[in-house]
Amino acid sequence: MNRPTPIVASPEQRAFSPDEVATMLGIGRRSVFSLLKDGELGSKKIGGSRRIFLSDLEDYLGEERAHSLVREINGDEEESANDEDEEDPKG
């Protein structure tokens, strides 16, 4: 029997709920909706839900900070910390 191939989304395709973004930014849900309403933070309406994409977070926070927050919520902090601990090969 053929099983369907699972779909794996890349981090760039990840969409976050306003609640997830509020947690990532350390602000309240109302503050996230204020950012959305004021146009400071982009989003898309998908069905009946509002979703904030990684590209929206990059535009708002900058690429490095947005990726850092996504790594934190994905539990990849340890990997990024190990990268920072490596010594410069030039000495």
Side-chain angles (χ1 to χ4, degrees), residues 36-88:
L36 295 172
K37 181 182 175 192
D38 294 343
E40 293 182 52
L41 180 61
S43 69
K44 302 277 187 284
K45 188 116 179 184
I46 301 175
S49 301
R50 179 73 50 191
R51 292 292 177 250
I52 299 140
F53 287 86
L54 178 58
S55 59
D56 298 316
L57 289 172
E58 289 172 347
D59 291 343
Y60 179 66
L61 298 169
E63 188 174 331
E64 187 175 325
R65 181 69 179 133
H67 285 258
S68 174
L69 289 173
V70 171
R71 279 194 304 269
E72 286 178 24
I73 67 161
N74 286 332
D76 295 341
E77 286 181 280
E78 195 172 307
E79 181 180 315
S80 64
N82 288 340
D83 291 343
E84 293 173 4
D85 290 340
E86 291 180 17
E87 290 184 29
D88 184 2

Side-chain angles (χ1 to χ4, degrees), residues 15-40:
F16 304 95
S17 70
D19 288 336
E20 289 174 311
V21 171
T23 299
M24 290 166 63
L25 299 178
I27 61 176
R29 187 173 190 260
R30 285 184 185 192
S31 296
V32 171
F33 280 102
S34 290
L35 291 170
L36 295 172
K37 181 182 175 192
D38 294 343
E40 293 182 52

